[in-house]
Amino acid sequence: MSETQKYFETRTELTLEEYKRFDTWMHKNLTGMNRIFTVAKIVLIALCVVLAVFSWNKGDVVRTVGELVLAVLIFPVFALVHTISAQRTYQMIHKQQDGAVQVYRLYADYIEQVRAQGNTQIAYDKLYQIAETKTNFYLMLSKMQGIILVKKNCDEQTLAFLHTLVQK
């Protein structure tokens, strides 16, 4: 095998938990949605508290308690909506792929996804971003689409190669 044909191979099993980690990282680091939702939650909680104060001043204890309960439920409701959204996206992706396990070959200049329908090659210089987390590498095609490479599935040589890509 010549140097230009040398590649590293890794497999990623796309589980729901793995996708949720990716989705959370993506929204936190790339899309700005994390800030938007945080501001929205704070505004809604403040609105509930203001309404509760007005209700308290009018002597309406039941309404005051209801508005305070609503304020407390805002964070869990947003989390639930995010979880449902991530589950739906995961299910859609899972149906489109050949199954949960994806095979990737990393060459010097590009990554190749190996699929029954045909292989897809993406040059590293065409990627939006390459990032590393505690458990994964994310090769981002755009702000909202990427390839997940799980570190525990990579041998030492593959990890070293991926570290060079992150540092470029």
Side-chain angles (χ1 to χ4, degrees), residues 144-166:
M144 297 295 289
Q145 183 181 15
I147 296 170
I148 303 168
L149 300 178
V150 181
K151 285 183 176 180
K152 68 181 179 183
N153 298 341
C154 297
D155 61 26
E156 290 301 316
Q157 291 177 322
T158 305
L159 289 171
F161 178 74
L162 287 166
H163 282 122
T164 64
L165 292 178
V166 171

Side-chain angles (χ1 to χ4, degrees), residues 51-118:
L51 290 173
V53 168
F54 283 128
S55 297
W56 180 261
N57 289 338
K58 290 182 178 182
D60 192 345
V61 176
V62 173
R63 189 171 179 167
T64 302
V65 170
E67 289 160 343
L68 292 175
V69 167
L70 182 60
V72 169
L73 291 177
I74 287 173
F75 276 98
V77 167
F78 270 79
L80 179 63
V81 168
H82 181 256
T83 299
I84 291 169
S85 173
Q87 287 174 336
R88 287 184 178 165
T89 304
Y90 167 77
Q91 290 168 350
M92 181 186 71
I93 291 168
H94 202 272
K95 285 180 185 177
Q96 292 174 350
Q97 310 236 346
D98 296 334
V101 178
Q102 300 296 308
V103 177
Y104 297 100
R105 292 182 181 153
L106 296 105
Y107 292 88
D109 297 326
Y110 64 93
I111 185 170
E112 180 177 52
Q113 181 181 20
V114 181
R115 300 180 67 186
Q117 298 95 333

